[in-house]
């Protein structure tokens, strides 16, 4: 189905998008020939993130290509590069929602500022996570669903720099990947941190975020996720699988 914007809602690329993707390729390949390595669907995500604006999408894509060369020079992040983050046992991935999108689960109350590896290790961990998610996506699927469970979150878990880094990496380098994000068990004190990071979340991402009331938790999740694909801790059937084992 194609809307007024000229965007096809599935993995088919519209004629309008094909034309603009070619124009973007002409621009970016002159500035960085290595950009030829990326397929049309990758470029389309940057194009859609910029509402089909060719110049903005080209600049965004070139920034991504440059970042990837420097931050992921070997093409991937290994578990040996993120030991302190993995030790917190806070991020899991298992199952798919009713649209076939992979489901990730992060426990905010298990995150603590990384005092050994620092912010750089956290950034590598975030990148490792997004790379693992995108590499495991079913054929024809480009998006994933995130569940952020912040039960037990306290000031000792607050890490604004890390939160902003994860938002930046998602929005700048993995655009159009997040399908929906549920926040569960949100304590009142978490909202103080949320108010600090909210201005840095772009409009498209904000529209995908849902804060779920405790009494509506399971019914809300079941609208998007079948019980067979829902984690056991929320009344479903699946056991949690650490992101590195997924």
């Amino acid at each position: 189905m194609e809307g007024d914007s000229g965007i096809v809602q599935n993995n088919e690329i519209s004629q309008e998008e094909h034309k603009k993707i070619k124009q973007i390729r002409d621009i970016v390949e002159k500035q960085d020939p290595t950009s030829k390595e990326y397929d049309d669907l990758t470029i389309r995500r940057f194009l859609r993130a910029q509402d089909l604006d060719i110049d903005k999408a080209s600049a965004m894509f070139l920034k991504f290509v440059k970042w990837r060369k420097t931050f992921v020079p070997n093409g991937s992040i290994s578990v040996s590069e993120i030991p302190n983050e993995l030790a917190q046992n806070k991020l899991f991935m298992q199952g798919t929602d009713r649209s076939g999108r992979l489901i990730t689960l992060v426990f905010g109350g298990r995150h603590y500022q990384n005092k050994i590896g620092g912010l750089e290790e956290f950034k590598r961990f975030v990148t490792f996570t997004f790379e693992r998610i995108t590499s495991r996506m079913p054929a024809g699927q480009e998006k994933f669903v995130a569940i952020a469970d912040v039960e037990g979150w306290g000031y000792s878990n607050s890490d604004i720099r890390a939160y902003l880094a994860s938002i930046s990496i998602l929005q700048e380098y993995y655009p159009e990947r997040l399908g929906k994000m549920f926040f569960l068990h949100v304590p009142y004190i978490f909202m103080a941190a949320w108010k600090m990071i909210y201005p840095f979340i772009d409009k498209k991402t904000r529209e995908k975020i849902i804060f779920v009331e405790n009494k509506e938790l399971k019914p809300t999740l079941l609208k998007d996720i079948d019980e067979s694909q829902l984690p056991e801790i929320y009344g479903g059937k699946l056991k949690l699988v650490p992101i590195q084992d997924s």
Side-chain angles (χ1 to χ4, degrees):
M1 181 179 294
E2 186 172 337
D4 294 337
S5 63
I7 293 178
V8 174
Q9 297 306 314
N10 54 29
N11 266 359
E12 296 179 12
I13 300 177
S14 70
Q15 290 184 345
E16 176 71 9
E17 287 176 331
H18 263 303
K19 180 181 178 181
K20 293 194 173 188
I21 288 170
K22 184 179 184 304
Q23 290 176 286
I24 290 173
R25 282 199 180 280
D26 290 341
I27 294 171
V28 301
E29 289 179 9
K30 287 178 182 177
Q31 297 188 48
D32 189 338
T34 65
S35 61
K36 293 179 181 179
E37 300 172 6
Y38 297 93
D39 62 19
D40 284 357
L41 290 177
T42 300
I43 294 177
R44 184 180 69 171
R45 287 192 292 273
F46 287 86
L47 180 62
R48 288 183 171 184
Q50 295 296 341
D51 296 319
L52 305 188
D53 185 301
I54 293 171
D55 291 334
K56 289 182 179 179
S58 297
M60 186 183 188
F61 181 67
L62 282 169
K63 181 180 178 182
F64 159 74
V65 173
K66 181 179 180 180
W67 167 81
R68 191 163 181 84
K69 285 180 186 177
T70 56
F71 201 74
V72 196
N74 299 320
S76 64
I77 304 289
S78 70
V79 294
S80 64
E81 297 178 77
I82 51 174
N84 302 294
E85 294 295 335
L86 292 177
Q88 294 182 2
N89 195 36
K90 59 191 172 187
L91 212 151
F92 303 82
M93 179 170 70
Q94 62 288 300
T96 56
D97 75 350
R98 298 182 189 277
S99 298
R101 301 177 294 192
L102 287 173
I103 300 167
T104 61
L105 170 60
V106 59
F107 291 103
R110 296 184 186 180
H111 171 81
Y112 295 92
Q113 185 175 340
N114 190 332
K115 297 184 182 299
I116 301 175
L119 186 62
E120 287 306 301
E121 184 181 341
F122 178 79
K123 290 179 181 178
R124 291 196 297 273
F125 174 67
V126 173
T127 302
F128 170 88
T129 297
F130 289 142
E131 289 293 304
R132 183 58 62 99
I133 294 169
T134 55
S135 70
R136 300 293 192 272
M137 285 181 173
Q141 183 56 255
E142 295 186 88
K143 298 181 184 291
F144 71 97
V145 171
I147 298 174
D149 191 327
V150 285
E151 185 171 23
W153 187 95
Y155 289 122
S156 62
N157 304 113
S158 184
D159 192 357
I160 302 301
R161 288 204 310 157
Y163 300 157
L164 293 178
S166 59
I167 291 168
S168 176
I169 292 171
L170 172 67
Q171 295 180 166
E172 294 179 28
Y173 306 129
Y174 297 89
E176 297 296 304
R177 285 300 199 182
L178 179 66
K180 186 174 288 187
M181 186 170 191
F182 299 96
F183 275 88
L184 312 181
H185 301 130
V186 181
Y188 179 75
I189 58 173
F190 175 77
M191 299 313 295
W194 182 252
K195 288 179 181 178
M196 295 178 69
I197 64 176
Y198 186 76
F200 296 92
I201 303 174
D202 64 34
K203 182 175 181 293
K204 290 190 177 203
T205 304
R206 290 177 184 177
E207 292 172 348
K208 300 170 183 176
I209 296 172
I210 300 171
F211 281 80
V212 183
E213 294 184 18
N214 290 347
K215 63 182 179 180
E216 297 295 330
L217 193 154
K218 189 174 181 181
T220 299
L221 293 179
L222 285 176
K223 290 178 183 177
D224 286 80
I225 306 168
D226 186 82
E227 190 173 24
S228 67
Q229 300 295 300
L230 195 64
E232 288 179 335
I233 58 172
Y234 304 126
K237 306 294 186 181
L238 289 188
K239 295 183 182 298
L240 296 181
V241 179
I243 186 71
Q244 67 271 25
D245 297 332
S246 60

Short mmCIF file of all heavy atoms in Angstrom, two decimals, residues 71-123:
data_model
loop_
_atom_site.label_atom_id
_atom_site.label_comp_id
_atom_site.label_asym_id
_atom_site.label_seq_id
_atom_site.Cartn_x
_atom_site.Cartn_y
_atom_site.Cartn_z
N PHE A 71 34.08 3.16 13.98
CA PHE A 71 33.60 2.54 15.22
C PHE A 71 33.46 1.03 15.10
O PHE A 71 33.57 0.31 16.09
CB PHE A 71 32.26 3.16 15.64
CG PHE A 71 31.94 2.96 17.09
CD1 PHE A 71 32.61 3.68 18.07
CD2 PHE A 71 30.97 2.05 17.49
CE1 PHE A 71 32.34 3.49 19.43
CE2 PHE A 71 30.69 1.85 18.84
CZ PHE A 71 31.38 2.59 19.81
N VAL A 72 33.20 0.55 13.89
CA VAL A 72 33.06 -0.90 13.67
C VAL A 72 33.99 -1.29 12.52
O VAL A 72 33.54 -1.80 11.48
CB VAL A 72 31.61 -1.29 13.34
CG1 VAL A 72 31.39 -2.78 13.51
CG2 VAL A 72 30.61 -0.52 14.19
N PRO A 73 35.30 -1.07 12.68
CA PRO A 73 36.24 -1.29 11.57
C PRO A 73 36.32 -2.74 11.11
O PRO A 73 36.65 -3.00 9.95
CB PRO A 73 37.58 -0.82 12.15
CG PRO A 73 37.43 -0.98 13.64
CD PRO A 73 35.99 -0.63 13.91
N ASN A 74 36.01 -3.70 11.99
CA ASN A 74 36.07 -5.11 11.63
C ASN A 74 34.74 -5.65 11.13
O ASN A 74 34.60 -6.85 10.87
CB ASN A 74 36.54 -5.94 12.82
CG ASN A 74 37.93 -5.54 13.28
OD1 ASN A 74 38.80 -5.28 12.46
ND2 ASN A 74 38.14 -5.48 14.59
N GLY A 75 33.74 -4.77 11.05
CA GLY A 75 32.43 -5.19 10.57
C GLY A 75 31.49 -5.66 11.64
O GLY A 75 30.29 -5.86 11.38
N SER A 76 32.00 -5.88 12.85
CA SER A 76 31.16 -6.31 13.96
C SER A 76 31.86 -6.04 15.28
O SER A 76 33.08 -5.80 15.33
CB SER A 76 30.82 -7.81 13.85
OG SER A 76 32.01 -8.58 13.95
N ILE A 77 31.07 -6.07 16.37
CA ILE A 77 31.60 -5.93 17.72
C ILE A 77 31.59 -7.32 18.35
O ILE A 77 30.57 -8.02 18.30
CB ILE A 77 30.73 -4.97 18.57
CG1 ILE A 77 30.60 -3.59 17.90
CG2 ILE A 77 31.29 -4.85 19.99
CD1 ILE A 77 31.84 -2.76 17.92
N SER A 78 32.69 -7.74 18.94
CA SER A 78 32.75 -9.07 19.56
C SER A 78 32.40 -8.97 21.04
O SER A 78 32.52 -7.90 21.66
CB SER A 78 34.14 -9.67 19.40
OG SER A 78 35.09 -8.97 20.20
N VAL A 79 31.97 -10.09 21.63
CA VAL A 79 31.62 -10.11 23.05
C VAL A 79 32.82 -9.77 23.92
O VAL A 79 32.67 -9.27 25.04
CB VAL A 79 31.02 -11.48 23.46
CG1 VAL A 79 29.69 -11.70 22.77
CG2 VAL A 79 31.99 -12.61 23.14
N SER A 80 34.02 -10.03 23.42
CA SER A 80 35.23 -9.74 24.19
C SER A 80 35.46 -8.25 24.37
O SER A 80 36.23 -7.83 25.23
CB SER A 80 36.45 -10.37 23.52
OG SER A 80 36.69 -9.80 22.24
N GLU A 81 34.78 -7.43 23.57
CA GLU A 81 34.92 -5.98 23.64
C GLU A 81 33.93 -5.35 24.61
O GLU A 81 34.02 -4.15 24.89
CB GLU A 81 34.72 -5.36 22.25
CG GLU A 81 35.74 -5.78 21.22
CD GLU A 81 35.45 -5.17 19.86
OE1 GLU A 81 35.74 -3.97 19.68
OE2 GLU A 81 34.92 -5.89 18.99
N ILE A 82 32.97 -6.14 25.13
CA ILE A 82 31.92 -5.57 25.99
C ILE A 82 31.68 -6.41 27.25
O ILE A 82 30.53 -6.60 27.65
CB ILE A 82 30.61 -5.41 25.19
CG1 ILE A 82 30.26 -6.74 24.48
CG2 ILE A 82 30.72 -4.27 24.20
CD1 ILE A 82 28.91 -6.73 23.78
N PRO A 83 32.73 -6.91 27.91
CA PRO A 83 32.53 -7.83 29.04
C PRO A 83 31.79 -7.22 30.22
O PRO A 83 30.97 -7.91 30.86
CB PRO A 83 33.97 -8.21 29.42
CG PRO A 83 34.79 -7.04 29.00
CD PRO A 83 34.16 -6.61 27.70
N ASN A 84 32.06 -5.97 30.54
CA ASN A 84 31.44 -5.35 31.71
C ASN A 84 29.96 -5.08 31.50
O ASN A 84 29.17 -5.15 32.44
CB ASN A 84 32.18 -4.05 32.06
CG ASN A 84 33.65 -4.29 32.33
OD1 ASN A 84 34.02 -4.95 33.29
ND2 ASN A 84 34.51 -3.78 31.45
N GLU A 85 29.58 -4.78 30.27
CA GLU A 85 28.17 -4.56 29.97
C GLU A 85 27.40 -5.88 29.99
O GLU A 85 26.31 -5.97 30.55
CB GLU A 85 28.02 -3.87 28.61
CG GLU A 85 28.56 -2.45 28.55
CD GLU A 85 27.81 -1.48 29.45
OE1 GLU A 85 26.63 -1.75 29.76
OE2 GLU A 85 28.41 -0.47 29.85
N LEU A 86 27.98 -6.92 29.41
CA LEU A 86 27.31 -8.22 29.38
C LEU A 86 27.16 -8.79 30.79
O LEU A 86 26.19 -9.49 31.08
CB LEU A 86 28.09 -9.20 28.50
CG LEU A 86 28.09 -8.90 27.00
CD1 LEU A 86 28.96 -9.92 26.27
CD2 LEU A 86 26.68 -8.89 26.43
N ALA A 87 28.11 -8.46 31.66
CA ALA A 87 28.07 -8.99 33.03
C ALA A 87 26.86 -8.49 33.81
O ALA A 87 26.45 -9.11 34.80
CB ALA A 87 29.36 -8.60 33.77
N GLN A 88 26.26 -7.38 33.36
CA GLN A 88 25.09 -6.84 34.06
C GLN A 88 23.82 -7.64 33.74
O GLN A 88 22.79 -7.45 34.39
CB GLN A 88 24.91 -5.36 33.71
CG GLN A 88 26.04 -4.49 34.25
CD GLN A 88 25.83 -3.00 33.96
OE1 GLN A 88 24.82 -2.59 33.38
NE2 GLN A 88 26.79 -2.19 34.36
N ASN A 89 23.89 -8.50 32.74
CA ASN A 89 22.77 -9.41 32.42
C ASN A 89 21.45 -8.65 32.30
O ASN A 89 20.44 -8.99 32.91
CB ASN A 89 22.65 -10.49 33.50
CG ASN A 89 21.78 -11.65 33.06
OD1 ASN A 89 21.79 -12.04 31.90
ND2 ASN A 89 21.03 -12.21 34.00
N LYS A 90 21.45 -7.64 31.44
CA LYS A 90 20.30 -6.72 31.39
C LYS A 90 19.54 -6.73 30.08
O LYS A 90 18.45 -6.14 29.99
CB LYS A 90 20.79 -5.29 31.67
CG LYS A 90 21.84 -4.79 30.67
CD LYS A 90 22.48 -3.49 31.13
CE LYS A 90 23.66 -3.10 30.26
NZ LYS A 90 24.37 -1.92 30.80
N LEU A 91 20.07 -7.38 29.04
CA LEU A 91 19.42 -7.28 27.74
C LEU A 91 19.21 -8.67 27.12
O LEU A 91 20.12 -9.49 27.10
CB LEU A 91 20.26 -6.41 26.80
CG LEU A 91 19.45 -5.60 25.79
CD1 LEU A 91 20.16 -4.32 25.42
CD2 LEU A 91 19.16 -6.42 24.54
N PHE A 92 17.98 -8.87 26.60
CA PHE A 92 17.58 -10.18 26.10
C PHE A 92 16.85 -10.02 24.76
O PHE A 92 16.31 -8.96 24.46
CB PHE A 92 16.67 -10.88 27.11
CG PHE A 92 17.30 -11.04 28.47
CD1 PHE A 92 17.30 -9.99 29.39
CD2 PHE A 92 17.92 -12.23 28.82
CE1 PHE A 92 17.91 -10.12 30.63
CE2 PHE A 92 18.52 -12.37 30.06
CZ PHE A 92 18.52 -11.32 30.97
N MET A 93 16.83 -11.10 23.99
CA MET A 93 16.09 -11.08 22.73
C MET A 93 15.51 -12.47 22.46
O MET A 93 16.24 -13.46 22.43
CB MET A 93 16.99 -10.67 21.57
CG MET A 93 16.27 -10.64 20.21
SD MET A 93 17.25 -9.88 18.88
CE MET A 93 18.53 -11.12 18.65
N GLN A 94 14.22 -12.53 22.28
CA GLN A 94 13.54 -13.79 21.99
C GLN A 94 12.15 -13.52 21.44
O GLN A 94 11.49 -12.56 21.82
CB GLN A 94 13.43 -14.67 23.24
CG GLN A 94 12.63 -14.09 24.37
CD GLN A 94 13.35 -12.95 25.06
OE1 GLN A 94 14.44 -13.14 25.58
NE2 GLN A 94 12.76 -11.76 25.05
N GLY A 95 11.72 -14.36 20.51
CA GLY A 95 10.37 -14.25 19.99
C GLY A 95 10.15 -13.11 19.01
O GLY A 95 11.01 -12.27 18.78
N THR A 96 8.94 -13.11 18.42
CA THR A 96 8.54 -12.05 17.50
C THR A 96 7.12 -11.61 17.83
O THR A 96 6.34 -12.38 18.40
CB THR A 96 8.59 -12.54 16.03
OG1 THR A 96 7.76 -13.71 15.91
CG2 THR A 96 10.00 -12.87 15.60
N ASP A 97 6.79 -10.39 17.46
CA ASP A 97 5.42 -9.92 17.69
C ASP A 97 4.52 -10.38 16.55
O ASP A 97 4.94 -11.13 15.67
CB ASP A 97 5.38 -8.40 17.89
CG ASP A 97 5.57 -7.62 16.59
OD1 ASP A 97 5.91 -8.22 15.55
OD2 ASP A 97 5.37 -6.39 16.62
N ARG A 98 3.28 -9.96 16.56
CA ARG A 98 2.31 -10.43 15.57
C ARG A 98 2.65 -9.95 14.15
O ARG A 98 2.10 -10.46 13.17
CB ARG A 98 0.90 -9.96 15.97
CG ARG A 98 0.43 -10.54 17.30
CD ARG A 98 -0.98 -10.11 17.64
NE ARG A 98 -1.37 -10.48 19.00
CZ ARG A 98 -1.82 -11.68 19.36
NH1 ARG A 98 -1.97 -12.62 18.44
NH2 ARG A 98 -2.14 -11.93 20.62
N SER A 99 3.54 -8.97 14.04
CA SER A 99 3.97 -8.47 12.73
C SER A 99 5.29 -9.09 12.29
O SER A 99 5.83 -8.71 11.25
CB SER A 99 4.10 -6.94 12.76
OG SER A 99 2.85 -6.33 13.05
N GLY A 100 5.81 -10.02 13.10
CA GLY A 100 7.06 -10.67 12.75
C GLY A 100 8.30 -9.90 13.16
O GLY A 100 9.42 -10.19 12.70
N ARG A 101 8.15 -8.90 14.04
CA ARG A 101 9.28 -8.11 14.49
C ARG A 101 9.92 -8.74 15.73
O ARG A 101 9.22 -9.13 16.66
CB ARG A 101 8.83 -6.68 14.81
CG ARG A 101 8.21 -5.96 13.62
CD ARG A 101 7.69 -4.58 13.96
NE ARG A 101 6.55 -4.63 14.88
CZ ARG A 101 5.77 -3.59 15.15
NH1 ARG A 101 6.01 -2.41 14.57
NH2 ARG A 101 4.76 -3.70 15.99
N LEU A 102 11.25 -8.85 15.73
CA LEU A 102 11.95 -9.42 16.87
C LEU A 102 11.67 -8.61 18.14
O LEU A 102 11.48 -7.39 18.08
CB LEU A 102 13.46 -9.42 16.61
CG LEU A 102 13.98 -10.46 15.61
CD1 LEU A 102 15.46 -10.22 15.34
CD2 LEU A 102 13.78 -11.88 16.15
N ILE A 103 11.65 -9.30 19.28
CA ILE A 103 11.36 -8.66 20.56
C ILE A 103 12.62 -8.63 21.42
O ILE A 103 13.24 -9.66 21.66
CB ILE A 103 10.25 -9.42 21.31
CG1 ILE A 103 8.97 -9.46 20.47
CG2 ILE A 103 10.00 -8.79 22.67
CD1 ILE A 103 7.94 -10.44 20.99
N THR A 104 13.00 -7.45 21.86
CA THR A 104 14.10 -7.31 22.79
C THR A 104 13.55 -6.83 24.13
O THR A 104 12.51 -6.18 24.19
CB THR A 104 15.14 -6.29 22.29
OG1 THR A 104 14.51 -5.00 22.16
CG2 THR A 104 15.71 -6.70 20.95
N LEU A 105 14.27 -7.16 25.18
CA LEU A 105 13.85 -6.77 26.53
C LEU A 105 15.06 -6.28 27.30
O LEU A 105 16.08 -6.97 27.37
CB LEU A 105 13.22 -7.97 27.24
CG LEU A 105 12.95 -7.84 28.75
CD1 LEU A 105 11.99 -6.70 29.04
CD2 LEU A 105 12.39 -9.15 29.30
N VAL A 106 14.98 -5.07 27.84
CA VAL A 106 16.07 -4.53 28.65
C VAL A 106 15.55 -4.19 30.04
O VAL A 106 14.45 -3.65 30.19
CB VAL A 106 16.69 -3.27 27.99
CG1 VAL A 106 15.66 -2.17 27.79
CG2 VAL A 106 17.87 -2.77 28.80
N PHE A 107 16.30 -4.57 31.05
CA PHE A 107 15.95 -4.27 32.43
C PHE A 107 16.74 -3.04 32.89
O PHE A 107 17.94 -3.13 33.15
CB PHE A 107 16.27 -5.47 33.33
CG PHE A 107 15.39 -6.65 33.12
CD1 PHE A 107 15.83 -7.75 32.39
CD2 PHE A 107 14.09 -6.67 33.63
CE1 PHE A 107 15.01 -8.86 32.19
CE2 PHE A 107 13.26 -7.78 33.43
CZ PHE A 107 13.72 -8.86 32.70
N GLY A 108 16.03 -1.93 32.99
CA GLY A 108 16.69 -0.68 33.37
C GLY A 108 17.27 -0.71 34.77
O GLY A 108 18.26 -0.03 35.06
N GLY A 109 16.66 -1.50 35.65
CA GLY A 109 17.13 -1.58 37.02
C GLY A 109 18.41 -2.39 37.19
O GLY A 109 18.97 -2.45 38.29
N ARG A 110 18.87 -3.01 36.10
CA ARG A 110 20.12 -3.77 36.14
C ARG A 110 21.28 -3.00 35.53
O ARG A 110 22.41 -3.48 35.52
CB ARG A 110 19.96 -5.10 35.40
CG ARG A 110 18.95 -6.05 36.03
CD ARG A 110 18.94 -7.38 35.29
NE ARG A 110 17.87 -8.26 35.76
CZ ARG A 110 17.64 -9.48 35.28
NH1 ARG A 110 18.40 -9.95 34.31
NH2 ARG A 110 16.64 -10.21 35.76
N HIS A 111 20.98 -1.84 34.98
CA HIS A 111 22.04 -1.04 34.35
C HIS A 111 22.69 -0.12 35.38
O HIS A 111 22.01 0.58 36.12
CB HIS A 111 21.49 -0.19 33.21
CG HIS A 111 22.50 0.79 32.69
ND1 HIS A 111 23.49 0.43 31.81
CD2 HIS A 111 22.70 2.12 32.97
CE1 HIS A 111 24.25 1.50 31.56
NE2 HIS A 111 23.79 2.53 32.25
N TYR A 112 24.01 -0.14 35.38
CA TYR A 112 24.79 0.78 36.21
C TYR A 112 25.88 1.39 35.35
O TYR A 112 26.36 0.79 34.40
CB TYR A 112 25.43 0.04 37.40
CG TYR A 112 24.40 -0.52 38.36
CD1 TYR A 112 23.93 -1.83 38.21
CD2 TYR A 112 23.88 0.26 39.40
CE1 TYR A 112 22.97 -2.35 39.07
CE2 TYR A 112 22.93 -0.25 40.27
CZ TYR A 112 22.48 -1.56 40.11
OH TYR A 112 21.54 -2.06 40.96
N GLN A 113 26.26 2.60 35.70
CA GLN A 113 27.31 3.28 34.95
C GLN A 113 28.56 2.40 34.91
O GLN A 113 29.00 1.89 35.93
CB GLN A 113 27.63 4.63 35.59
CG GLN A 113 28.62 5.45 34.79
CD GLN A 113 28.82 6.83 35.40
OE1 GLN A 113 27.99 7.31 36.17
NE2 GLN A 113 29.93 7.47 35.08
N ASN A 114 29.10 2.25 33.72
CA ASN A 114 30.28 1.41 33.53
C ASN A 114 31.52 2.17 33.97
O ASN A 114 32.02 3.04 33.27
CB ASN A 114 30.39 1.00 32.05
CG ASN A 114 31.43 -0.05 31.79
OD1 ASN A 114 32.42 -0.15 32.50
ND2 ASN A 114 31.22 -0.85 30.75
N LYS A 115 32.06 1.83 35.14
CA LYS A 115 33.20 2.55 35.68
C LYS A 115 34.53 1.94 35.25
O LYS A 115 35.59 2.48 35.55
CB LYS A 115 33.12 2.59 37.21
CG LYS A 115 31.90 3.34 37.73
CD LYS A 115 31.91 3.45 39.24
CE LYS A 115 30.66 4.17 39.75
NZ LYS A 115 30.55 5.54 39.25
N ILE A 116 34.47 0.81 34.55
CA ILE A 116 35.69 0.16 34.08
C ILE A 116 35.91 0.45 32.59
O ILE A 116 36.90 1.04 32.20
CB ILE A 116 35.63 -1.36 34.32
CG1 ILE A 116 35.46 -1.66 35.82
CG2 ILE A 116 36.92 -2.02 33.80
CD1 ILE A 116 35.26 -3.12 36.13
N GLY A 117 34.95 0.05 31.79
CA GLY A 117 35.07 0.27 30.34
C GLY A 117 34.60 1.64 29.89
O GLY A 117 34.87 2.07 28.77
N GLY A 118 33.87 2.33 30.77
CA GLY A 118 33.41 3.68 30.47
C GLY A 118 32.32 3.76 29.41
O GLY A 118 31.75 2.75 28.99
N LEU A 119 32.07 4.99 28.97
CA LEU A 119 31.00 5.24 27.98
C LEU A 119 31.30 4.56 26.65
O LEU A 119 30.38 4.14 25.95
CB LEU A 119 30.82 6.74 27.79
CG LEU A 119 29.64 7.18 26.91
CD1 LEU A 119 28.32 6.73 27.50
CD2 LEU A 119 29.65 8.70 26.73
N GLU A 120 32.57 4.46 26.30
CA GLU A 120 32.92 3.84 25.01
C GLU A 120 32.51 2.37 24.96
O GLU A 120 32.04 1.88 23.94
CB GLU A 120 34.42 3.99 24.73
CG GLU A 120 34.83 5.40 24.35
CD GLU A 120 34.04 5.94 23.18
OE1 GLU A 120 34.07 5.31 22.10
OE2 GLU A 120 33.37 6.98 23.33
N GLU A 121 32.69 1.65 26.08
CA GLU A 121 32.26 0.26 26.09
C GLU A 121 30.74 0.17 26.00
O GLU A 121 30.20 -0.70 25.32
CB GLU A 121 32.73 -0.49 27.34
CG GLU A 121 32.35 -1.96 27.29
CD GLU A 121 32.76 -2.77 28.52
OE1 GLU A 121 33.64 -2.32 29.26
OE2 GLU A 121 32.18 -3.85 28.73
N PHE A 122 30.06 1.10 26.66
CA PHE A 122 28.60 1.10 26.56
C PHE A 122 28.16 1.34 25.13
O PHE A 122 27.23 0.67 24.64
CB PHE A 122 27.99 2.18 27.47
CG PHE A 122 26.50 2.25 27.37
CD1 PHE A 122 25.70 1.33 28.02
CD2 PHE A 122 25.89 3.22 26.57
CE1 PHE A 122 24.31 1.37 27.90
CE2 PHE A 122 24.50 3.27 26.45
CZ PHE A 122 23.71 2.34 27.12
N LYS A 123 28.80 2.26 24.43
CA LYS A 123 28.46 2.50 23.02
C LYS A 123 28.70 1.25 22.18
O LYS A 123 27.91 0.95 21.27
CB LYS A 123 29.29 3.67 22.48
CG LYS A 123 28.92 5.04 23.03
CD LYS A 123 29.82 6.10 22.44
CE LYS A 123 29.50 7.48 22.97
NZ LYS A 123 30.42 8.51 22.41
#
